[in-house]
Amino acid sequence: MEPVPVLVAVSGALAGRSYVITEAGLRMGRDAENEIVVDEAGTSRQHARVILHNGAIWVQDAGSRNGVFVNGERVPDHRQLKPGDRVQVSQSVFEVQLSLPSMASLPPQPAPVPPPPRPLAPVHIDPPEEPRKSGWKLWPFAVALLLTAGCIGCIGMIGWLHPTDEPATGASGQGPSYSLTAVIPADGSAPAAPGPATPAPSVADALAIAAGADQPSPAAPGVPAPPPGSTAAELTERGHALYETGRINEARVAYQQALVLDPNCQICTVRVERLQAEIAEKAQAQLDAGLRYWDSMQVQQAIAAWETVLLLVPDPADPINQRASESLARARGGSVGGAAAHTP
């Protein structure tokens, strides 16, 4: 089994406790809804968050007043962690460690019981069969051969006794010739030359045309058309590569283009739904972070957070995009001066 990252409290009120770091994240603060409740003086309700993303461990300041420190250095926004790093929230210190999952809680597995031996079936030996006597007889074939020869002789004799008086001849003195490849029209005009034969479509082609497979599926609103010459498999692999590098918005577009070429791509449908939910969650988190920065008079950090929202949700009709655009307009307009005037 692979080791899992854990956060171990080494000092403070939670000393000795450990918490498994997952992709859902560990929220830290005074609020009782947090996964790690740090009820100490100087701790904000939503103080920090530790998450596991793309195989890396990250710590993020959730807008606290007194800040988050990693190895004694304050983290302005977020920072990647490694085993052995220490995260300080108020008076509590947590250390990042790798731990193997415990096997003590697993119930004991009973030893496999071998199946009972199967009784041997009695062997039955059939007695040897007696050789069959051949029932073929030659006299019916001889009679049929004699009748055939007699019929042929009679026909020849009739033709010799009644010869044809005049053979049918054409204009050239020879017998008439007939053509099976041309039909002379009734008006006497020359027959049209036969054109090249059109091959009949195969069964697979006929079924594909009947099902409408020769026409690509229409693209969803807001999704660019697939690149010319691309296939659904290539676009799916491109979506996997973009998702692994964290470019989730471009990965969603690649999966949607693959669905245009192959509507039955199940992995593309699942990934599109998952990425839409993940993008909406990240956009909402950045929108809330921008509001916290704005309330604490950190204007540049708020603008950066709201610009990230517009990159994640570029659709102007989306409510999250509209709220971020309104907040950016307020931050870049006259409200910036008002926020600076109230800065202590």
Side-chain angles (χ1 to χ4, degrees):
M1 291 182 292
E2 297 183 358
V4 296
V6 295
L7 199 63
V8 181
V10 297
S11 66
L14 303 175
R17 298 188 181 182
S18 60
Y19 306 89
V20 178
I21 305 173
T22 63
E23 293 183 356
L26 296 173
R27 296 173 297 177
M28 308 170 67
R30 288 189 297 105
D31 197 332
E33 296 182 356
N34 294 319
E35 285 77 16
I36 303 178
V37 180
V38 184
D39 192 4
E40 295 176 351
T43 305
S44 302
R45 294 177 60 86
Q46 301 290 338
H47 199 104
R49 184 186 182 193
V50 180
I51 62 173
L52 179 66
H53 181 65
N54 288 338
I57 309 171
W58 298 83
V59 62
Q60 179 184 18
D61 190 342
S64 63
R65 289 187 178 182
N66 297 323
V68 181
F69 296 84
V70 175
N71 298 331
E73 182 180 353
R74 183 165 182 172
V75 178
D77 187 11
H78 59 272
R79 177 175 296 181
Q80 185 175 353
L81 301 177
K82 62 182 182 299
D85 288 346
R86 294 198 169 191
V87 180
Q88 181 178 354
V89 175
S90 298
Q91 289 79 31
S92 297
V93 179
F94 302 85
E95 183 175 339
V96 179
Q97 298 180 7
L98 294 178
S99 174
L100 290 175
S102 175
M103 299 294 292
S105 60
L106 295 178
Q109 299 294 331
V113 179
R118 298 176 58 183
L120 297 177
V123 180
H124 177 73
I125 301 177
D126 296 331
E129 296 182 356
E130 297 181 357
R132 297 181 179 178
K133 298 181 179 180
S134 176
W136 292 94
K137 297 181 180 180
L138 298 178
W139 67 267
F141 297 96
V143 172
L145 182 61
L146 290 176
L147 292 176
T148 304
C151 293
I152 295 175
C154 292
I155 294 173
M157 183 64 67
I158 293 173
W160 179 72
L161 294 176
H162 301 280
T164 304
D165 295 336
E166 293 182 3
T169 58
S172 60
Q174 300 179 355
S177 61
Y178 302 94
S179 174
L180 300 179
T181 59
V183 178
I184 300 177
D187 56 359
S189 59
T198 303
S202 63
V203 176
D205 295 339
L207 292 175
I209 295 174
D214 55 338
Q215 298 293 333
S217 300
V223 178
S230 59
T231 63
E234 295 173 352
L235 292 173
T236 304
E237 292 298 328
R238 172 176 170 80
H240 293 339
L242 292 171
Y243 181 78
E244 293 297 331
T245 56
R247 300 162 67 180
I248 57 178
N249 214 350
E250 299 180 25
R252 180 186 61 175
V253 173
Y255 289 131
Q256 290 175 332
Q257 291 176 338
L259 281 174
V260 173
L261 299 178
D262 183 10
N264 296 324
C265 180
Q266 297 294 333
I267 184 63
C268 298
T269 304
V270 173
R271 284 293 177 88
V272 167
E273 295 177 356
R274 182 182 302 174
L275 287 176
Q276 287 177 345
E278 185 175 347
I279 290 171
E281 181 182 357
K282 291 181 180 294
Q284 184 65 44
Q286 289 294 325
L287 183 64
D288 296 340
L291 294 176
R292 289 194 298 268
Y293 284 134
W294 180 259
D295 293 339
S296 59
M297 305 301 175
Q298 302 181 34
V299 179
Q300 296 302 324
Q301 290 85 342
I303 291 177
W306 290 329
E307 288 178 345
T308 304
V309 174
L310 297 184
L311 292 177
L312 291 172
V313 186
D315 186 7
D318 194 282
I320 297 180
N321 180 290
Q322 295 174 359
R323 292 180 59 188
S325 300
E326 294 173 359
S327 301
L328 275 175
R330 180 180 60 182
R332 292 170 176 169
S335 298
V336 175
H342 290 82
T343 304

